[in-house]
Amino acid sequence: LEFKDMDILVMGSSYSAEDIGSQCWKCGCRSVTFVHRTVPMGFNWPENVQEVHGLVKVEENTAFFQDGTSKKVDAIILCTGYKHHFPFMSTELRLTCRNVLATPMLYKGVAFINNPKVFYLGMQDQWYTFTMFDAQAYWTRDVILGRIDVPDRNTMQADIDARIKTESELKDDYERIAFQGAYTNELVQESTDYPAFNIEKANEAFNQWKRHKKESIMTYRDNHGYESPITGTKAPPHHTVWKDCLDDSIEDYLKRIE
């Protein structure tokens, strides 16, 4: 309850901003203002939550925005994301890229084209996160063990270029989810012993989750559960609606409904 009864300014427009701003709202802050540099999240926020474009300056406790408006705030929370920054790597081995799905310089998204004995895992903009990380780790292990052969540089570059081109043609987040699902499945199929799971069902769970958030960002957790693409088990509803559940302990989360 650190920010209870405060006006909060959240810098960012992705998952961290969404989650932290929502949690502050849930725990009783007076208002939440999200600042974005590119596009707003666009959810149907409660009336005391707003999105504005571009922070110009802060004077004392007043924030000024590009649209000419201003707001007094009690706290500023930075949710500005991550940079791909590897100063500890020598220049010839250093990956430089933006946060994208099709990462330049990386064959199959992991093997560094200038030296394919160097691997970078988890460098992509992420939908699949740990599932994808696991698939990348299995694929990398198989390359190191000689089970998968890395082709010549021209072939690797052609693979990278094709992925970048495909990403540039994607029209929306649903196509981006499918793109990363297909990429993850490609690594799963090429690895020797990665446990199989239903990529299409995983994609559909992502699609449902995204649609449900658009419908109601503050209640989608209460109204929907999703099926595991491995077991087929659907998550049960939580025992307390999200906005009223202030106990984040594992013991409370796992309580069964009598």
Side-chain angles (χ1 to χ4, degrees), residues 102-155:
T103 313
M105 305 177 74
L106 297 180
Y107 172 66
K108 297 285 184 172
V110 288
F112 190 57
I113 191 170
N114 294 337
N115 185 337
K117 293 182 179 180
V118 175
F119 303 91
Y120 285 85
L121 276 63
M123 296 298 105
Q124 292 75 16
D125 192 7
Q126 295 157 8
W127 293 98
Y128 267 75
T129 61
F130 289 100
T131 308
M132 181 181 70
F133 304 158
D134 277 350
Q136 290 176 332
Y138 272 68
W139 189 90
T140 299
R141 177 209 59 185
D142 284 352
V143 172
I144 293 172
L145 294 177
R147 298 170 181 171
I148 294 175
D149 294 325
V150 174
D152 63 81
R153 184 185 179 95
N154 288 340
T155 302

Coordinates of all heavy atoms in Angstrom, one line a residue, residues 102-155:
A102 N 12.2 -10.6 -34.9 CA 13.2 -11.3 -35.8 C 14.5 -10.5 -35.5 O 14.7 -9.4 -36.1 CB 12.8 -11.2 -37.2
T103 N 15.4 -11.1 -34.8 CA 16.6 -10.4 -34.3 C 17.7 -10.5 -35.4 O 18.1 -11.5 -35.8 CB 17.1 -11.1 -33.0 OG1 16.0 -11.3 -32.1 CG2 18.1 -10.2 -32.4
P104 N 18.1 -9.3 -35.8 CA 19.3 -9.3 -36.8 C 20.5 -9.9 -36.1 O 20.7 -9.8 -34.9 CB 19.4 -7.9 -37.1 CG 18.8 -7.1 -36.0 CD 17.7 -8.0 -35.5
M105 N 21.4 -10.4 -36.9 CA 22.7 -10.9 -36.4 C 22.6 -12.3 -35.8 O 23.6 -12.9 -35.4 CB 23.4 -10.0 -35.5 CG 23.6 -8.6 -36.0 SD 24.4 -7.4 -34.9 CE 26.1 -8.0 -34.9
L106 N 21.4 -12.8 -35.6 CA 21.2 -14.1 -34.9 C 20.6 -15.2 -35.8 O 19.4 -15.0 -36.1 CB 20.5 -14.0 -33.6 CG 21.1 -13.1 -32.5 CD1 20.2 -13.0 -31.3 CD2 22.5 -13.6 -32.1
Y107 N 21.3 -16.2 -36.2 CA 20.7 -17.3 -36.9 C 19.8 -18.1 -36.0 O 20.2 -18.4 -34.9 CB 21.8 -18.2 -37.5 CG 21.4 -19.4 -38.1 CD1 20.6 -19.4 -39.3 CD2 21.7 -20.7 -37.6 CE1 20.1 -20.6 -39.9 CE2 21.3 -21.9 -38.2 CZ 20.5 -21.8 -39.3 OH 20.0 -23.0 -39.9
K108 N 18.6 -18.4 -36.5 CA 17.6 -19.1 -35.7 C 17.3 -18.3 -34.4 O 16.8 -18.9 -33.5 CB 18.0 -20.5 -35.4 CG 18.2 -21.4 -36.6 CD 16.8 -21.9 -37.2 CE 17.0 -22.8 -38.4 NZ 15.8 -23.4 -38.9
G109 N 17.6 -17.1 -34.4 CA 17.3 -16.2 -33.3 C 18.3 -16.4 -32.1 O 18.1 -15.7 -31.1
V110 N 19.3 -17.2 -32.3 CA 20.3 -17.4 -31.2 C 21.7 -17.5 -31.5 O 22.6 -17.0 -30.8 CB 19.9 -18.7 -30.4 CG1 18.6 -18.6 -29.6 CG2 19.8 -19.9 -31.4
A111 N 22.1 -18.0 -32.7 CA 23.5 -18.2 -33.0 C 24.1 -16.9 -33.7 O 23.5 -16.5 -34.7 CB 23.7 -19.4 -34.0
F112 N 25.1 -16.3 -33.1 CA 25.7 -15.1 -33.5 C 26.3 -15.3 -34.9 O 27.3 -16.1 -35.0 CB 26.6 -14.5 -32.5 CG 27.1 -13.1 -32.7 CD1 26.2 -12.1 -32.8 CD2 28.5 -12.9 -32.9 CE1 26.6 -10.8 -33.1 CE2 28.9 -11.6 -33.1 CZ 28.0 -10.5 -33.2
I113 N 25.9 -14.5 -35.9 CA 26.3 -14.8 -37.3 C 27.8 -14.6 -37.4 O 28.5 -15.2 -38.3 CB 25.5 -14.0 -38.3 CG1 25.8 -14.5 -39.7 CG2 25.8 -12.5 -38.1 CD1 24.9 -13.9 -40.7
N114 N 28.4 -13.6 -36.7 CA 29.9 -13.3 -36.8 C 30.7 -14.4 -36.2 O 31.9 -14.5 -36.5 CB 30.2 -12.0 -36.2 CG 29.6 -10.8 -37.0 OD1 29.3 -11.0 -38.2 ND2 29.4 -9.7 -36.3
N115 N 30.1 -15.2 -35.3 CA 30.8 -16.3 -34.7 C 29.8 -17.2 -34.1 O 29.3 -17.0 -32.9 CB 31.8 -15.8 -33.6 CG 32.6 -17.0 -33.0 OD1 32.2 -18.1 -33.0 ND2 33.7 -16.6 -32.4
P116 N 29.3 -18.2 -34.8 CA 28.2 -19.1 -34.4 C 28.5 -20.0 -33.2 O 27.7 -20.8 -32.9 CB 27.8 -19.8 -35.7 CG 29.1 -19.8 -36.5 CD 29.7 -18.5 -36.2
K117 N 29.7 -19.8 -32.6 CA 29.9 -20.5 -31.4 C 29.5 -19.7 -30.2 O 29.6 -20.1 -29.0 CB 31.4 -20.9 -31.2 CG 31.9 -21.9 -32.2 CD 33.4 -22.2 -32.0 CE 33.8 -23.3 -33.0 NZ 35.3 -23.7 -32.8
V118 N 29.0 -18.5 -30.5 CA 28.5 -17.6 -29.5 C 26.9 -17.6 -29.6 O 26.4 -17.4 -30.7 CB 29.0 -16.1 -29.6 CG1 28.4 -15.2 -28.6 CG2 30.5 -16.2 -29.4
F119 N 26.2 -17.7 -28.5 CA 24.8 -17.8 -28.6 C 24.1 -16.7 -27.7 O 24.6 -16.5 -26.5 CB 24.3 -19.2 -28.1 CG 24.8 -20.3 -29.0 CD1 26.0 -20.9 -28.6 CD2 24.2 -20.7 -30.1 CE1 26.6 -21.9 -29.4 CE2 24.7 -21.7 -30.9 CZ 25.9 -22.3 -30.5
Y120 N 23.1 -16.1 -28.2 CA 22.3 -15.1 -27.4 C 20.9 -15.7 -27.2 O 20.2 -15.9 -28.3 CB 22.3 -13.8 -28.1 CG 23.6 -12.9 -28.0 CD1 24.6 -13.1 -28.9 CD2 23.7 -12.0 -27.0 CE1 25.7 -12.4 -28.9 CE2 24.9 -11.2 -26.9 CZ 25.9 -11.4 -27.9 OH 27.0 -10.6 -27.8
L121 N 20.4 -15.9 -26.0 CA 19.1 -16.4 -25.8 C 18.2 -15.3 -25.2 O 18.6 -14.5 -24.4 CB 19.1 -17.6 -24.8 CG 19.5 -19.0 -25.4 CD1 20.9 -19.0 -26.0 CD2 19.4 -20.1 -24.4
G122 N 16.9 -15.4 -25.7 CA 15.9 -14.5 -25.1 C 16.0 -13.0 -25.6 O 15.6 -12.1 -24.9
M123 N 16.6 -12.8 -26.8 CA 16.8 -11.5 -27.3 C 15.6 -10.9 -28.0 O 15.6 -9.7 -28.3 CB 18.0 -11.4 -28.2 CG 19.3 -11.8 -27.6 SD 19.9 -10.7 -26.3 CE 19.5 -11.7 -24.8
Q124 N 14.6 -11.6 -28.2 CA 13.5 -11.2 -29.0 C 12.4 -10.4 -28.1 O 12.4 -10.6 -26.9 CB 12.7 -12.4 -29.6 CG 13.5 -13.1 -30.7 CD 14.6 -14.0 -30.1 OE1 14.7 -14.3 -28.9 NE2 15.5 -14.4 -31.0
D125 N 11.7 -9.6 -28.8 CA 10.4 -9.1 -28.2 C 9.6 -10.3 -27.9 O 9.5 -11.2 -28.7 CB 9.7 -8.1 -29.2 CG 8.6 -7.4 -28.5 OD1 8.4 -7.5 -27.3 OD2 7.9 -6.7 -29.2
Q126 N 8.9 -10.3 -26.8 CA 8.5 -11.6 -26.3 C 7.0 -11.7 -26.1 O 6.3 -10.8 -25.5 CB 9.2 -11.9 -24.9 CG 10.6 -12.1 -25.1 CD 11.4 -11.9 -23.8 OE1 10.8 -11.7 -22.7 NE2 12.7 -11.8 -23.9
W127 N 6.4 -12.8 -26.6 CA 5.1 -13.3 -26.2 C 5.3 -14.6 -25.5 O 4.7 -14.8 -24.4 CB 4.2 -13.5 -27.5 CG 3.9 -12.3 -28.2 CD1 4.5 -11.8 -29.3 CD2 2.9 -11.4 -27.9 NE1 3.9 -10.6 -29.7 CE2 2.9 -10.3 -28.9 CE3 1.9 -11.3 -26.9 CZ2 2.0 -9.3 -28.9 CZ3 1.0 -10.3 -26.9 CH2 1.0 -9.3 -27.9
Y128 N 6.1 -15.5 -26.0 CA 6.2 -16.8 -25.4 C 7.1 -16.9 -24.2 O 7.0 -17.8 -23.4 CB 6.7 -17.8 -26.5 CG 5.6 -18.5 -27.2 CD1 4.8 -17.8 -28.1 CD2 5.2 -19.8 -26.9 CE1 3.7 -18.4 -28.8 CE2 4.2 -20.4 -27.6 CZ 3.4 -19.7 -28.5 OH 2.4 -20.3 -29.1
T129 N 8.0 -16.0 -24.0 CA 8.9 -15.9 -22.9 C 9.6 -17.3 -22.6 O 10.3 -17.8 -23.4 CB 8.3 -15.3 -21.7 OG1 7.2 -16.1 -21.2 CG2 7.8 -13.9 -22.0
F130 N 9.3 -17.9 -21.4 CA 10.0 -19.0 -20.9 C 9.9 -20.3 -21.8 O 10.8 -21.1 -21.9 CB 9.7 -19.3 -19.5 CG 10.2 -18.3 -18.5 CD1 9.3 -17.3 -18.0 CD2 11.5 -18.3 -18.1 CE1 9.8 -16.3 -17.2 CE2 12.0 -17.3 -17.3 CZ 11.1 -16.3 -16.8
T131 N 8.8 -20.5 -22.4 CA 8.7 -21.6 -23.4 C 9.6 -21.4 -24.5 O 10.3 -22.4 -24.9 CB 7.2 -21.6 -24.0 OG1 6.3 -21.6 -22.9 CG2 7.0 -22.9 -24.8
M132 N 9.7 -20.2 -25.0 CA 10.7 -19.9 -26.1 C 12.1 -20.0 -25.6 O 13.0 -20.6 -26.3 CB 10.4 -18.5 -26.7 CG 11.4 -18.1 -27.8 SD 11.0 -16.5 -28.5 CE 11.6 -15.5 -27.1
F133 N 12.4 -19.5 -24.4 CA 13.8 -19.6 -23.8 C 14.2 -21.1 -23.7 O 15.3 -21.4 -24.1 CB 13.8 -19.0 -22.5 CG 13.4 -17.5 -22.4 CD1 12.9 -17.0 -21.2 CD2 13.3 -16.7 -23.5 CE1 12.5 -15.7 -21.1 CE2 12.9 -15.4 -23.4 CZ 12.5 -14.9 -22.2
D134 N 13.3 -21.9 -23.3 CA 13.6 -23.3 -23.2 C 13.9 -23.9 -24.5 O 14.9 -24.7 -24.7 CB 12.4 -24.1 -22.5 CG 12.4 -24.0 -21.0 OD1 13.4 -23.6 -20.4 OD2 11.4 -24.4 -20.5
A135 N 13.1 -23.6 -25.5 CA 13.3 -24.2 -26.9 C 14.7 -23.7 -27.4 O 15.4 -24.4 -28.0 CB 12.2 -23.7 -27.8
Q136 N 15.0 -22.4 -27.2 CA 16.3 -21.9 -27.6 C 17.4 -22.6 -26.9 O 18.5 -22.9 -27.5 CB 16.4 -20.4 -27.3 CG 15.5 -19.6 -28.2 CD 15.5 -18.1 -27.9 OE1 15.7 -17.7 -26.7 NE2 15.2 -17.2 -28.8
A137 N 17.3 -22.9 -25.6 CA 18.3 -23.6 -24.9 C 18.5 -25.0 -25.4 O 19.7 -25.5 -25.5 CB 18.0 -23.6 -23.4
Y138 N 17.4 -25.7 -25.7 CA 17.5 -27.1 -26.2 C 18.2 -27.0 -27.5 O 19.1 -27.9 -27.8 CB 16.2 -27.7 -26.3 CG 15.7 -28.4 -25.1 CD1 15.3 -27.7 -23.9 CD2 15.5 -29.8 -25.1 CE1 14.8 -28.4 -22.8 CE2 15.0 -30.5 -24.0 CZ 14.7 -29.7 -22.8 OH 14.2 -30.4 -21.7
W139 N 17.8 -26.1 -28.4 CA 18.4 -26.0 -29.7 C 19.9 -25.7 -29.6 O 20.8 -26.3 -30.3 CB 17.7 -24.9 -30.6 CG 18.1 -24.9 -32.0 CD1 17.5 -25.6 -33.0 CD2 19.2 -24.1 -32.6 NE1 18.1 -25.3 -34.2 CE2 19.2 -24.4 -34.0 CE3 20.1 -23.2 -32.1 CZ2 20.1 -23.8 -34.9 CZ3 21.0 -22.7 -33.0 CH2 21.0 -22.9 -34.3
T140 N 20.3 -24.7 -28.8 CA 21.7 -24.4 -28.6 C 22.5 -25.5 -28.0 O 23.6 -25.8 -28.5 CB 21.8 -23.2 -27.6 OG1 21.1 -22.1 -28.1 CG2 23.2 -22.8 -27.3
R141 N 21.9 -26.3 -27.1 CA 22.6 -27.4 -26.6 C 22.9 -28.4 -27.7 O 24.0 -29.0 -27.7 CB 21.8 -28.1 -25.5 CG 22.3 -29.4 -24.9 CD 21.2 -30.3 -24.4 NE 20.3 -30.7 -25.5 CZ 19.3 -31.4 -25.3 NH1 18.9 -31.8 -24.1 NH2 18.5 -31.7 -26.4
D142 N 21.9 -28.7 -28.5 CA 22.1 -29.6 -29.6 C 23.2 -29.2 -30.6 O 23.9 -30.0 -31.2 CB 20.8 -29.9 -30.3 CG 19.9 -30.8 -29.5 OD1 20.3 -31.3 -28.5 OD2 18.7 -31.0 -29.9
V143 N 23.3 -27.9 -30.9 CA 24.4 -27.4 -31.7 C 25.7 -27.6 -31.0 O 26.7 -28.1 -31.7 CB 24.2 -25.9 -32.0 CG1 25.4 -25.3 -32.7 CG2 22.9 -25.6 -32.8
I144 N 25.8 -27.3 -29.8 CA 27.1 -27.5 -29.1 C 27.5 -29.0 -29.1 O 28.7 -29.3 -29.2 CB 27.0 -27.0 -27.6 CG1 26.8 -25.4 -27.6 CG2 28.2 -27.4 -26.8 CD1 26.5 -24.8 -26.3
L145 N 26.5 -29.9 -28.9 CA 26.8 -31.3 -28.9 C 27.0 -31.9 -30.3 O 27.2 -33.1 -30.4 CB 25.7 -32.0 -28.1 CG 25.6 -31.7 -26.6 CD1 24.4 -32.5 -26.0 CD2 26.9 -32.1 -25.9
G146 N 26.8 -31.1 -31.3 CA 27.0 -31.6 -32.7 C 25.8 -32.3 -33.3 O 25.9 -33.0 -34.3
R147 N 24.7 -32.2 -32.6 CA 23.5 -32.9 -33.1 C 22.8 -32.0 -34.2 O 22.0 -32.6 -35.0 CB 22.5 -33.1 -32.0 CG 23.0 -34.0 -30.9 CD 22.1 -34.0 -29.7 NE 22.6 -34.8 -28.6 CZ 22.1 -34.8 -27.4 NH1 21.0 -34.1 -27.1 NH2 22.6 -35.6 -26.4
I148 N 23.0 -30.7 -34.2 CA 22.5 -29.8 -35.2 C 23.7 -29.1 -35.9 O 24.5 -28.6 -35.2 CB 21.5 -28.8 -34.6 CG1 20.3 -29.5 -34.1 CG2 21.1 -27.7 -35.7 CD1 19.3 -28.6 -33.4
D149 N 23.7 -29.1 -37.2 CA 24.8 -28.4 -37.9 C 24.4 -27.0 -38.2 O 23.2 -26.7 -38.7 CB 25.1 -29.1 -39.2 CG 25.7 -30.5 -39.0 OD1 26.4 -30.6 -38.0 OD2 25.4 -31.4 -39.8
V150 N 25.3 -26.0 -38.0 CA 25.1 -24.6 -38.4 C 25.6 -24.4 -39.8 O 26.7 -24.8 -40.1 CB 25.8 -23.7 -37.4 CG1 25.7 -22.2 -37.9 CG2 25.2 -23.8 -36.0
P151 N 24.8 -23.8 -40.7 CA 25.2 -23.7 -42.1 C 26.2 -22.6 -42.3 O 26.7 -21.9 -41.4 CB 23.9 -23.4 -42.8 CG 23.1 -22.7 -41.8 CD 23.4 -23.3 -40.5
D152 N 26.6 -22.4 -43.6 CA 27.5 -21.3 -43.9 C 26.9 -19.9 -43.7 O 25.7 -19.8 -43.5 CB 28.0 -21.5 -45.4 CG 26.9 -21.3 -46.3 OD1 26.5 -20.2 -46.7 OD2 26.3 -22.4 -46.8
R153 N 27.8 -18.9 -43.7 CA 27.3 -17.6 -43.4 C 26.2 -17.1 -44.3 O 25.2 -16.4 -43.9 CB 28.5 -16.6 -43.4 CG 28.1 -15.2 -42.9 CD 29.2 -14.2 -43.1 NE 28.8 -12.9 -42.7 CZ 28.9 -12.3 -41.5 NH1 29.5 -13.1 -40.5 NH2 28.5 -11.1 -41.2
N154 N 26.3 -17.3 -45.6 CA 25.3 -16.8 -46.5 C 23.9 -17.4 -46.2 O 22.9 -16.8 -46.3 CB 25.7 -17.2 -48.0 CG 26.9 -16.3 -48.5 OD1 27.1 -15.2 -47.9 ND2 27.6 -16.7 -49.5
T155 N 23.9 -18.7 -45.9 CA 22.7 -19.4 -45.6 C 22.1 -18.8 -44.3 O 20.9 -18.6 -44.2 CB 22.9 -20.9 -45.4 OG1 23.4 -21.4 -46.7 CG2 21.6 -21.6 -45.1

